[in-house]
Amino acid sequence: MCGIFGYLNFLVERDRRFVLDTLIKGLSRLEYRGYDSAGLAVDGDTEDQTFIFKQVGKVAALKKLVDTQEIDFEKSYISHCGMAHTRWATHGQPSQLNSHPHRSDNHNEFTLVHNGIITNYKEIKTLLEKKGFSFETETDTECVAKLTKYLYDSQKNSDITFTDLVKMVVKELEGSFAFIFKSTHFPNEIVATRRGSPLLIGVKTAKKLKVDFVDVEFGNAPDAINIPDKDPTGFMDPTEGGRPQMNRSLSRAFMSEDGMPQPIEFFLASDASAIVEHTKRVLYLEDDDIAHIADGELHIHRLRRDDGNSPATRSIQTLEIELAEIMKGSFDHFMQKEIYEQPESVVNTMRGRVNFETHKVTLGGLRGYLSIIRRARRIVFIACGTSFHSCLATRAIFEELTEIPSQVDLASDFLDRRTPIFRDDVCVFVSQSGETADTIMAMRYCLERGAVCVGITNTVGSSISRETHCGVHINAGPEIGVASTKAYTSQYIALVMMAIQLSEDRLSTTKRREEIIDGLYRLPGHVKEVLAQDANLQKLAEETLSKEKSLLLMGRGYQNATCLEGALKIKEISYMHSEGILAGELKHGPLALIDENMPVILIMTKDSLYPKVQSALQQVTARKGQPIIICNTGDDNLIRDYKTIQVPQTADCLQGLINIIPLQLLSYYLAVLGNIDVDFPRNLAKSVTVE
Ligand code: UD1
Ligand code: M6R
C-alpha cells in the first residue's frame, strides 16, 4: 500500500541535491502504491544529524517543500544513505506528522520507513509509554522507531551491531512489514527487512560482480549473537541472552579482485519500477531476511539462526523490464497507455506459448504439474477485484474443457468462511501484483492444507510467484495505473491457455480448442479495431453519460464478468455509481430500477445466450429504458434501432476480451471529464498489501 525507497552510495561522490533528487524520483515511480503523503530522510550537516522532510499530498508537494529548504544542496558525500516513503494511510489521517519517515526521538537517532501494518503496536506502545516514551503520531510505525531506541539504549555498553539491534526489534513485531532503518549511531549503514511486504535491492557497480548471489548468514558462527527466541514481553529485559557480538563474514559478490572496496550504489524499493532506471541487477529479500548494507557490502542475515528452511543464498537477478515500460510516453495517463498497449500485451502473454499452426499450447510454468492438476477433485480460483473477474470470465471454459468442477472465490470471503480445502484440490491464485494481502493469506492457508497452489501473476519475484508450487507469468509488462486494464486481458488469456493445455488429451474437445486458438490468433487485430473507436467512445462519454449519476451494465453468460469488471472500472476511477447485473436476474429485483431516466449498457454480442439477452432487452425497453447496446458489427437490427457500440465477433469464450475494451475507454473518459486524477483515484492504491 505504501512505497519505500532507499539509496546508499559508497565511494561514489554525490552531493545532497543528487541524493534528494534520486530519492524523490524513486518515490515518484512508486507513487501509484500510495499517494496521500510522502517524506524522506537524509544526513544532516554533522554525523549526529538527520534531516527529515515530510509533506501531505503527492510526491510533487514533497519536492516543492524540499526545494524551498535553506540547506546546503552542494554538500557532497563520498558515502551516504537516505530513505523515502510514499504513504497510503491506514493508521492515522494523512498528515505531515503521520507521514514517514518516523523517528525515535527529537534528535532523530533512529529513523525508519515502513510498508505494512504492525498488528501488536498497541501493546508495544503501552509498554513504551510505561517506560516514559511519548508519541507524536497516530501511526503504528512510530512505536517501532521508539522501540529501536529503547532497545539500543538498553544495550548501549555492549557494542551491539545495527543488524542485531534490528533483529531484536523485529522479534517483537507482529503483522506485515517492509522496513528501512537508518541511525545516527550507525552512519552510512542501512538495515532493511521484510515480512509479508515486498522489498528488493538493486546493486550498481562499474565492475562486474564476482558472483551473482549473496550468501545468507545464518549466524551460527561460534561468536554469533545469541538472541533469545520471541517472547512477547522480551524487550522488557533485552540484556537477557548474552552480550551481542559481531558476526562478520564476507559476502563474496562484493569482494573486489585486489581485496580493496569498490565504488558501489544500492537502491532499495518496494518494487522494481523504482530501480530499473539505475540498475537491472536486483536481489529480492525473503520474509525474515535482515539485509545490512555498510562499507560497500550487502549482507543477508536471518532473523533466527536455526532457520533451516531458507535457501543458503539469494541470487542477484537481472530485471527484464525497460525504463520505457514505466514511462507514460506520449499518453496523458498510465491507464490510457495501458489500455492502448493491449494489442501488444495480449501477444506477449501468448508469446512462445501458443503454436497457432499446430493449435498447441505449452505453458512452461505448469510443466511437471499438469498430470496432478488434471487429477484434481476441484479447482478453486481465488483473487480480488479485477483479478477475481478474470477468474469469473473463464470459469465456464475451464469447466467445459477440463470437466473439473471449478469454484471462484473472492480471497477475503474465502478466508472469512474458512473454506474447507483438501490435498486433492488445486487452488489458483490470480493477482497482477502478486502482493495482494488477502490473496497471499488465502494462498498460505491452502499451502498449509496441502493443496497444489498455482499462481497467475504479472510480477516475477512477487510473493505469489515465489510461494506457489507452479504458475504462469502473464508477461503483460508493468501496470502502473491503479485501474487494472491490460492485466485483466492478459490474466484472462493465461487462464484460457491453462484450460486448453489441461484438456489437450481430450479428443472430444479438439475442435473447440482449435476454434479458441484461432480466436486468440485474431485477438490483437480485434483489440485494435475496438481501440480505433476511441473518438466515438469519448463522444458517448461526453454527450450521453458524463452527466449521469448511475450506470447499470447488463449481460449474461460470459458477459456477466464483463459487466462486473466494466462497473468496477467506472466506479473506481470516475466515482460514478455503477453496477454489473446478470441479465438473468433482472426480473428478480433490478428491473425495479429501470425507467426512461436510468442509463443502461446492455451487452448483446452473439453467442448461444443471444435469444435470452433479447428478452432482457425487451424487459428493459418495455419499462421505457433506452439502453446503449454493445453488439457485434453487422447486427443490423440492433444498429438500426438503438445507440450501439460495435465490436468484432470472436469465439464466445474470448468475446469478453474484446467487449471490455470499450468499457475501459468509457471509464477512462468519464474520469477525465470528471477532472479526476485518473491514475490516482481517491482512497485507492495499486497494490493492496494490507488486509
Ligand atoms: C520462462 C522464463 C522466460 C523464458 C522462458 C523460456 C522466467 C520468469 N520466465 O518462462 O523468461 O523466456 O522460460 O523457456 O524466468 N511460477 C510460479 N508461480 C507463479 C508464476 C510462475 O511458481 O505465480 C513459476 C513457474 O512454475 C515457472 C517459473 O515460475 O517455474 C517461470 O514461470 P513463467 O515465466 O510463466 O514460465 P515460462 O513461460 O516457461
Ligand atoms: O494485484 P492484484 O491483481 O491482486 O489486485 C487485486 C485488486 O486490488 C485489483 O484488481 C483492483 O480491483 C484494481 N484496482 C481494479 O482496477
Side-chain angles (χ1 to χ4, degrees):
M1 270 353 251
C2 303
I4 64 185
F5 187 77
Y7 170 58
L8 192 146
N9 54 307
F10 177 75
L11 300 185
V12 180
E13 193 167 350
R14 300 295 189 198
D15 62 21
R16 188 180 269 152
R17 168 62 73 195
F18 180 93
V19 171
L20 288 167
D21 286 351
T22 305
L23 291 174
I24 287 171
K25 195 193 276 171
L27 280 192
S28 62
R29 300 271 184 240
L30 297 172
E31 190 162 31
Y32 68 96
R33 302 179 66 89
Y35 36 86
D36 58 41
S37 49
L40 57 84
V42 291
D43 285 354
D45 291 329
T46 55
E47 265 211 348
D48 58 354
Q49 240 184 358
T50 297
F51 289 157
I52 301 178
F53 303 116
K54 318 204 266 192
Q55 185 62 294
V56 180
K58 293 181 52 182
V59 172
L62 174 69
K63 179 166 170 42
K64 220 168 167 182
L65 175 83
V66 169
D67 286 347
T68 52
Q69 296 300 309
E70 290 186 0
I71 51 174
D72 176 7
F73 286 102
E74 263 92 66
K75 183 175 169 62
S76 99
Y77 300 93
I78 194 79
S79 290
H80 178 275
C81 68
M83 59 165 85
H85 187 269
T86 177
R87 180 167 186 248
W88 186 83
T90 54
H91 292 64
Q93 298 275 315
S95 72
Q96 199 166 19
L97 262 184
N98 286 338
S99 314
H100 301 220
H102 287 287
R103 59 183 188 164
S104 56
D105 60 296
N106 291 342
H107 303 292
N108 304 344
E109 282 178 46
F110 293 93
T111 38
L112 52 88
V113 289
H114 170 213
N115 172 19
I117 290 185
I118 304 301
T119 47
N120 63 337
Y121 83 101
K122 284 199 179 124
E123 289 95 307
I124 297 175
K125 193 168 173 177
T126 309
L127 285 164
L128 288 168
E129 275 168 344
K130 281 192 193 141
K131 300 275 171 197
F133 283 85
S134 57
F135 288 77
E136 57 185 2
T137 79
E138 301 156 276
T139 64
D140 50 338
T141 308
E142 189 188 2
C143 76
V144 184
K146 298 223 151 44
L147 174 61
T148 313
K149 175 166 166 57
Y150 171 71
L151 292 176
Y152 177 79
D153 288 346
S154 324
Q155 295 276 331
K156 222 169 197 165
N157 303 321
S158 62
D159 291 337
I160 189 166
T161 63
F162 205 3
T163 307
D164 289 337
L165 178 62
V166 172
K167 275 190 193 174
M168 295 179 86
V169 172
V170 169
K171 283 196 172 187
E172 300 302 334
L173 305 182
E174 285 164 18
S176 70
F177 49 79
F179 280 112
I180 301 179
F181 290 78
K182 168 177 169 66
S183 171
T184 52
H185 299 293
F186 303 97
N188 305 326
E189 294 185 34
I190 267 185
V191 179
T193 182
R194 61 157 279 176
R195 186 186 295 158
S197 298
L199 193 59
L200 67 158
I201 303 178
V203 185
K204 184 177 177 186
T205 49
K207 284 191 217 146
K208 225 172 146 264
L209 294 176
K210 281 191 83 176
V211 289
D212 55 4
F213 58 86
V214 174
D215 296 306
V216 178
E217 295 166 34
F218 289 91
N220 48 5
D223 61 350
I225 181 174
N226 174 20
I227 295 174
D229 263 343
K230 185 161 165 40
D231 153 9
T233 56
F235 74 85
M236 299 294 286
D237 186 5
T239 51
E240 253 183 38
R243 178 179 172 275
Q245 292 175 26
M246 294 275 280
N247 173 27
R248 282 195 66 85
S249 96
L250 281 179
S251 192
R252 278 177 273 176
F254 307 102
M255 288 192 297
S256 58
E257 299 294 340
D258 51 8
M260 294 296 284
Q262 61 166 325
I264 189 161
E265 290 165 286
F266 293 95
F267 303 85
L268 298 92
S270 306
D271 74 53
S273 57
I275 292 185
V276 65
E277 65 205 86
H278 303 289
T279 174
K280 293 202 159 187
R281 308 288 289 147
V282 299
L283 174 153
Y284 289 88
L285 292 183
E286 301 279 338
D287 276 356
D288 287 338
D289 276 352
I290 314 270
H292 179 216
I293 308 177
D295 299 331
E297 286 184 11
L298 162 63
H299 294 267
I300 308 282
H301 304 261
R302 293 293 297 165
L303 184 57
R304 291 186 176 77
R305 60 171 157 165
D306 57 349
D307 191 346
N309 295 328
S310 174
T313 57
R314 299 282 173 268
S315 57
I316 299 174
Q317 307 174 14
T318 304
L319 286 175
E320 286 185 10
I321 54 171
E322 296 297 333
L323 181 58
E325 294 182 55
I326 53 158
M327 307 273 285
K328 272 202 291 254
S330 57
F331 291 95
D332 293 333
H333 299 98
F334 279 111
M335 182 188 180
Q336 187 190 27
K337 171 180 177 253
E338 287 154 9
I339 292 174
Y340 268 88
E341 274 171 359
Q342 290 174 109
E344 284 160 46
S345 56
V346 297
V347 173
N348 288 337
T349 306
M350 296 186 273
R351 194 184 302 283
R353 292 164 165 171
V354 184
N355 186 326
F356 295 105
E357 272 157 30
T358 58
H359 292 103
K360 203 172 154 45
V361 168
T362 312
L363 295 166
L366 299 186
R367 201 179 296 126
Y369 282 86
L370 286 169
S371 59
I372 303 178
I373 301 174
R374 286 189 186 117
R375 284 200 305 272
R377 186 169 79 147
R378 73 178 159 164
I379 301 190
V380 188
F381 295 92
I382 302 161
C384 304
T386 290
S387 301
F388 169 75
H389 295 151
S390 73
C391 302
L392 272 187
T394 51
R395 171 170 55 182
I397 193 64
F398 240 94
E399 288 176 331
E400 182 191 327
L401 289 178
T402 67
E403 289 191 340
I404 304 171
S406 304
Q407 157 184 341
V408 180
D409 268 304
L410 282 164
S412 55
D413 186 54
F414 174 85
L415 287 163
D416 290 348
R417 291 190 342 255
R418 301 198 63 75
T419 309
I421 287 292
F422 306 97
R423 298 182 71 81
D424 47 4
D425 285 328
V426 167
C427 301
V428 181
F429 301 89
V430 182
S431 171
Q432 186 284 131
S433 61
E435 297 295 352
T436 299
D438 288 326
T439 314
I440 291 179
M441 281 189 296
M443 170 190 69
R444 292 188 181 145
Y445 173 96
C446 296
L447 284 169
E448 274 166 26
R449 282 157 183 76
V452 170
C453 291
V454 182
I456 308 284
T457 63
N458 195 28
T459 316
V460 178
S462 62
S463 301
I464 291 179
S465 163
R466 284 182 294 121
E467 292 180 40
T468 43
H469 293 109
C470 62
V472 182
H473 291 120
I474 63 172
N475 299 340
E479 191 182 64
I480 310 281
V482 165
S484 187
T485 52
K486 64 173 178 172
Y488 177 71
T489 43
S490 287
Q491 288 166 340
Y492 191 138
I493 293 168
L495 289 165
V496 170
M497 289 192 300
M498 182 172 162
I500 292 176
Q501 188 167 18
L502 285 174
S503 65
E504 68 186 355
D505 53 354
R506 299 186 63 231
L507 280 180
S508 57
T509 55
T510 308
K511 260 195 101 177
R512 179 72 160 139
R513 283 194 304 274
E514 288 179 3
E515 176 206 5
I516 301 168
I517 291 173
D518 290 341
L520 287 173
Y521 178 73
R522 288 191 297 269
L523 184 63
H526 284 157
V527 174
K528 278 188 199 152
E529 274 182 53
V530 184
L531 290 174
Q533 298 181 45
D534 186 301
N536 292 341
L537 291 160
Q538 184 174 6
K539 202 161 149 217
L540 181 66
E542 208 168 317
E543 293 175 0
T544 312
L545 296 174
S546 64
K547 285 158 212 88
E548 302 293 352
K549 292 222 151 22
S550 189
L551 176 59
L552 304 182
L553 304 178
M554 294 177 197
R556 63 189 294 166
Y558 282 110
Q559 302 317 317
N560 181 36
T562 313
C563 293
L564 295 174
E565 173 57 11
L568 174 63
K569 284 296 84 90
I570 290 167
K571 70 184 108 174
E572 175 181 32
I573 56 161
S574 76
Y575 311 157
M576 180 193 282
H577 169 253
S578 185
E579 234 182 286
I581 293 172
L582 183 75
E585 278 289 293
L586 252 186
K587 52 190 173 301
H588 301 292
L591 204 50
L593 291 170
I594 304 297
D595 62 13
E596 64 272 38
N597 300 318
M598 173 56 84
V600 172
I601 293 182
L602 185 61
I603 306 187
M604 270 188 87
T605 39
K606 292 230 163 106
D607 62 20
S608 62
L609 296 174
Y610 188 80
K612 292 191 175 176
V613 192
Q614 266 177 328
S615 102
L617 172 62
Q618 277 150 19
Q619 291 171 37
V620 171
T621 50
R623 271 89 191 167
K624 299 205 181 99
Q626 295 170 349
I628 298 162
I629 301 184
I630 299 184
C631 67
N632 287 128
T633 327
D635 195 336
D636 294 334
N637 290 342
L638 290 178
I639 296 168
R640 191 189 53 229
D641 297 339
Y642 298 93
K643 196 172 265 185
T644 53
I645 299 168
Q646 295 159 45
V647 295
Q649 188 175 356
T650 185
D652 54 1
C653 63
L654 303 179
Q655 190 69 50
L657 286 164
I658 298 170
N659 295 357
I660 194 60
I661 313 273
L663 297 175
Q664 293 173 344
L665 282 170
L666 271 183
S667 68
Y668 172 74
Y669 284 119
L670 286 173
V672 172
L673 288 163
N675 242 336
I676 289 162
D677 200 347
V678 179
D679 290 327
F680 304 104
R682 68 184 178 204
N683 310 338
L684 297 175
K686 180 69 180 166
S687 180
V688 188
T689 55
V690 292
E691 237 183 295

